[in-house]
Every structure is written in C-alpha cells, then in structure tokens.
Amino acid sequence: MKLYMVSLGPGDHELITIKALKALKDSDAICIPTKSANNSFEKSMTYKIVKELMEEFGFDKPIIPMYTPMKFKQEDWQRQVDIILDSFESYEKLSFVTLGDSAVYSTVYYLLDIIKEQKNEVYEKCEVIPGVTSFSSASAKVKKPLCVGDSSFLIRPLHKSKVPFTTVYMRPKIGMDTEKLKEKNSIYTFENLNFQGEQVLDYKKKSVDKYMTLFIDFYEPK
C-alpha cells in the first residue's frame, strides 16, 4: 500500500508540481476534503483543482469524500484517518490532497501523527509532496520578493499575538561554526537537498561544509 499526501498549490491548477501530478495519476483513488457534512463538493477548491487536472491531463480516479469541519477536533482527524485506512481495503494506492503546501497550516501532519501511532506501516510508506504556498504566489503576482540579501520574513497567524514558531536558517558561509544557533525545539540539518550528496540529519552539525545547507528548528507540539 502507498499513501501520497499531495500539495495542490495556491488555487491555480497549473501551479501544481510535476511530482504531485504524477502521484495523482499513480493513485487508485483520491481523498478530497469537503466542508459539507453531506459530502458535497460544490464549494470545494481542492475538488475544482483535481477535476481541472483530470480534464487537462486525461485521467480519471474515484473520489473519496473527507468531511472536514472548519473547527477541527481530535475526533475529526480520527474519522479522516479511519476513512483513509478503510479505503486501503479497496485500493492499493491513495492520495490525500491539501491546498497550498502540506507543511504550512495543513491538516496533513495531524493525520500523519495518528497514522504513525495506529498503522505505522502506512506511515513508513507515506510520501509527502510539497507545493507552492499562497504567499509565494502572492509575491510573484506583484513582482516583490519575500526576502533579499540578508533580510528575512515572518509568517504569523493574525488571531494571536504570541505563538510558538519554527525557524529556518539559510545562506550560511562554508566553515562557519553553528554554535550560535541555539536549539529551541528540534534542529535538523539539510545538505544538498534534492541534489547529489543529499544529507538529512536529525541534529545540528557543528560546522557548515557545503553552501547548500539549511537548518530547520522545528516547533513540535507537546
């Protein structure tokens, strides 16, 4: 069995990645969230994007509705996980789709936490496919960068003033000492990501060996 967690991008079906499109085409069925308790897709942006992709690229897949209330509770996530796991009785490969990028305010990791605990073999074979974010798309629309030179940018929810956060450290100098990077949560080191010699380490390296290195100090909810 195979589970793809597919990021669809910021609304324009042409902004989906090639990898995400391949995953949808490779799947036996597609799990699509809906805000309607009757499983209607009338107002579903994710459904609209998937249908546009099917029409343009000439494929068709069974759709599995995933009722997704606006205010999530643990039982809502559990119900979605139950639907996914039960669907593996009929299908070998499934995609669960989400708007934007799966790593940014998405339900994907709530579901994966439960799947890891209840069906680890599915979690181990799951593939998360990243996507274009809404703020990246917005930046491109107005031809203005989110950061240049040595500047940085913040992502903050508007409904709260003090929130926990993940920190991304980029643009290092080769040979620099990383001691000043204070670990607040859980730091990972990424070298040559998606290129030859890629390394993903679940700790902070003491020094930078390659320019294409980034560190992410992930906030981890307790």
Side-chain angles (χ1 to χ4, degrees):
M1 62 185 69
K2 177 76 174 182
L3 175 61
Y4 297 105
M5 292 300 201
V6 179
S7 303
L8 294 179
D12 181 349
H13 76 282
E14 292 185 340
L15 289 177
I16 192 174
T17 66
I18 294 173
K19 190 167 190 175
L21 178 60
K22 285 182 176 179
L24 294 178
K25 295 175 75 172
D26 185 54
S27 297
D28 300 317
I30 301 173
C31 301
I32 299 183
T34 171
K35 303 297 182 187
S36 302
N38 64 354
N39 288 332
S40 167
F41 289 114
E42 184 177 350
K43 297 181 180 180
S44 172
M45 180 61 72
T46 49
Y47 179 79
K48 176 177 178 289
I49 294 171
V50 170
K51 292 300 289 185
E52 287 174 341
L53 290 167
M54 287 182 179
E55 291 170 7
E56 180 164 343
F57 294 96
F59 67 100
D60 188 34
K61 303 291 179 180
I63 302 300
I64 302 172
M66 306 280 286
Y67 176 46
T68 311
M70 288 297 292
K71 292 185 178 181
F72 266 108
K73 297 179 181 179
Q74 184 70 25
E75 56 262 35
D76 296 320
W77 298 324
Q78 183 64 63
R79 183 178 62 253
Q80 292 196 337
V81 167
D82 290 342
I83 293 173
I84 291 172
L85 297 181
D86 289 346
S87 295
F88 277 118
E89 296 181 6
S90 302
Y91 304 105
E92 185 66 24
K93 298 178 182 179
L94 295 174
S95 280
F96 175 91
V97 297
T98 183
L99 285 175
D101 176 73
S102 56
V104 183
Y105 297 120
S106 165
T107 61
V108 161
Y109 288 98
Y110 293 108
L111 303 183
L112 283 180
D113 284 346
I114 298 173
I115 291 173
K116 183 178 182 180
E117 182 179 331
Q118 298 180 358
K119 200 80 171 178
N120 189 60
E121 59 266 37
V122 174
Y123 174 84
E124 292 296 331
K125 294 180 180 179
C126 174
E127 183 175 355
V128 180
I129 301 176
V132 177
T133 62
S134 59
F135 47 86
S136 177
S137 177
S139 168
K141 288 275 187 184
V142 296
K143 303 182 183 73
K144 289 185 177 293
L146 293 170
C147 52
V148 290
D150 290 328
S151 67
S152 63
F153 75 100
L154 302 174
I155 306 169
R156 297 192 64 122
L158 290 174
H159 62 285
K160 289 185 178 180
S161 58
K162 292 185 178 181
V163 293
F165 55 88
T166 288
T167 304
V168 179
Y169 299 98
M170 298 181 64
R171 304 190 69 209
K173 292 182 179 180
I174 294 177
M176 70 174 288
D177 193 311
T178 63
E179 183 179 356
K180 67 178 181 179
L181 302 183
K182 301 303 180 183
E183 187 168 353
K184 297 179 180 178
N185 301 293
S186 178
I187 292 186
Y188 280 62
T189 304
F190 301 84
E191 293 182 337
N192 287 356
L193 198 59
N194 299 313
F195 287 91
Q196 185 176 1
E198 174 186 276
Q199 278 205 99
V200 178
L201 309 171
D202 61 356
Y203 58 88
K204 179 185 68 173
K205 288 192 69 174
K206 293 183 178 180
S207 63
V208 175
D209 301 320
K210 299 177 176 61
Y211 174 73
M212 291 182 64
T213 297
L214 64 88
F215 302 90
I216 302 182
D217 192 358
F218 290 99
Y219 163 67
E220 296 185 347
K222 303 301 181 183

